[in-house]
Amino acid sequence: MMVALLGATTLVLVAVAPWVLSAAAGGKNLKSPQKVEVDIIDDNFILRWNRSDESVGNVTFSFDYQKPGMDNWIKLPGCQNITSTKCNFSSLKLNVYEEIKLRIRAEKENTSSWYEVDSFTPFRKAQIGPPEVHVEAEDKAIVIHISPPGTKDSVMWALDGLSFTYSLVIWKNSSGVEERIENIYSRHKIYKLSPETTYCLKVKAALLTSWKIGVYSPVHCIKTTVCTLGGRVRWIT
């Protein structure tokens, strides 16, 4: 009886030994990533997160997502086996008015437990990016052409392209004193400017019905002309 018992004990120890050796060699349970941030600007979907253990190297990260009515989780395109702490999932076709769930885990020889991100609705989360702006100089005037934020085929603003309102800030390059002009159209002309003077301006868009205010465009500078006919535009870069 004693011999049989010792044999059984020996078998148990042999079975456990690989796990013990793995731990002794530095293997350990991975901790889940933390503080996941979802940044959406126009149609660009970016995820950022924090590592839970900076001392562990060669760790990758992967996300899953889940739509309403789904029981299973699906691998999030653009966010699989990521070695950094940032990924882009803009390629995913979504209904931006529906809630979505995300989860992330760390991966090495083993995997961490899943860290679930608070569910969100992309449209509510989205920020308005800078509009595209083109400027032309005329006699003591500047003409501003504004294109809506996002791409031509924007999904995020597909229903709001005609609802954007715009405002601008303009100043003489030599003085820096700013003047703000609110509620301008996509084509706007500013009159009564000084001739042969460089002006700079920036434009931002807003969706007042959704309480969204965008960020300013890059600054554009241009020099006004003198002649009404044949005036030559001088661009300042």
Side-chain angles (χ1 to χ4, degrees):
M1 178 69 71
M2 183 64 70
V3 173
L5 182 59
L6 289 173
T9 305
T10 304
L11 289 175
V12 172
L13 290 175
V14 170
V16 174
W19 180 86
V20 174
L21 290 174
S22 176
K28 62 178 181 178
N29 293 332
L30 289 176
K31 295 181 180 179
S32 303
Q34 301 291 324
K35 297 183 179 179
V36 178
E37 295 181 0
V38 183
D39 293 327
I40 305 175
I41 300 179
D42 297 334
D43 293 278
N44 294 313
F45 292 68
I46 304 296
L47 292 169
R48 295 181 176 85
W49 59 93
N50 289 349
R51 296 173 180 265
S52 293
D53 193 343
E54 296 286 349
S55 65
V56 181
N58 300 320
V59 176
T60 60
F61 304 93
S62 294
F63 276 88
D64 286 354
Y65 75 96
Q66 192 178 62
K67 294 181 179 180
M70 293 173 51
D71 294 326
N72 59 317
W73 290 84
I74 302 175
K75 293 183 182 298
L76 186 65
C79 295
Q80 299 298 310
N81 306 314
I82 304 299
T83 57
S84 63
T85 54
K86 173 184 175 182
C87 68
N88 185 318
F89 66 107
S90 305
S91 62
L92 180 64
K93 304 301 181 184
L94 289 172
N95 181 339
V96 297
Y97 303 101
E98 283 188 350
E99 203 170 68
I100 183 175
K101 294 181 180 179
L102 299 175
R103 66 181 186 179
I104 182 177
R105 70 181 180 184
E107 302 163 333
K108 197 175 181 183
E109 289 88 356
N110 54 359
T111 60
S112 71
S113 58
W114 288 103
Y115 174 86
E116 291 197 17
V117 183
D118 291 339
S119 58
F120 63 93
T121 303
F123 182 82
R124 293 180 179 177
K125 193 84 171 175
Q127 303 175 60
I128 301 173
E132 186 176 342
V133 179
H134 296 281
V135 292
E136 301 173 2
E138 293 185 358
D139 181 19
K140 300 180 183 179
I142 293 175
V143 180
I144 304 157
H145 301 272
I146 307 169
S147 299
T151 62
K152 182 179 179 181
D153 301 319
S154 174
V155 174
M156 187 63 68
W157 314 126
L159 302 180
D160 301 285
L162 300 178
S163 301
F164 282 111
T165 60
Y166 303 98
S167 60
L168 68 82
V169 177
I170 186 170
W171 64 93
K172 284 184 180 180
N173 193 43
S174 58
S175 69
V177 178
E178 297 182 345
E179 177 185 354
R180 299 179 184 275
I181 305 176
E182 303 289 339
N183 299 321
I184 64 175
Y185 294 103
S186 57
R187 185 185 185 279
H188 185 77
K189 189 171 184 176
I190 303 176
Y191 297 93
K192 298 181 180 179
L193 300 177
S194 301
E196 292 192 300
T197 301
T198 298
Y199 287 86
C200 297
L201 59 87
K202 57 185 179 180
V203 181
K204 67 179 179 181
L207 283 174
L208 300 182
T209 55
S210 301
W211 298 91
K212 291 181 180 290
I213 298 176
V215 297
Y216 278 108
S217 68
V219 173
H220 296 263
C221 296
I222 194 170
K223 188 173 184 179
T224 53
T225 62
V226 176
C227 299
T228 303
L229 297 176
R232 302 182 68 180
V233 177
R234 180 181 174 188
W235 294 91
I236 309 298
T237 58

